[in-house]
Amino acid sequence: MCIAVPMQVVVPGPFQAVCEAGGRSVTVDMALVGEQPAGTWLLVFLGAAREVIPAERAAEIANAL
């Protein structure tokens, strides 16, 4: 089973961004959500940002996980 996780943009880019969650940094495909500024929270699934989410929702999901 795969699950989407909330990640925060650290280094933005037009096609990819470096995002962080739980002390882990990964490069995320931004094709579906477009370039987002640093600090933006994303819902990431299989290496791709699927949705821009508010910080409150990111915290709720992270707590549930």
Side-chain angles (χ1 to χ4, degrees), residues 9-19 28-31 33-38:
V9 176
V10 178
V11 181
F15 305 107
Q16 294 182 326
V18 176
C19 297
V28 173
D29 182 334
M30 301 295 285
V33 297
E35 186 172 1
Q36 299 294 321

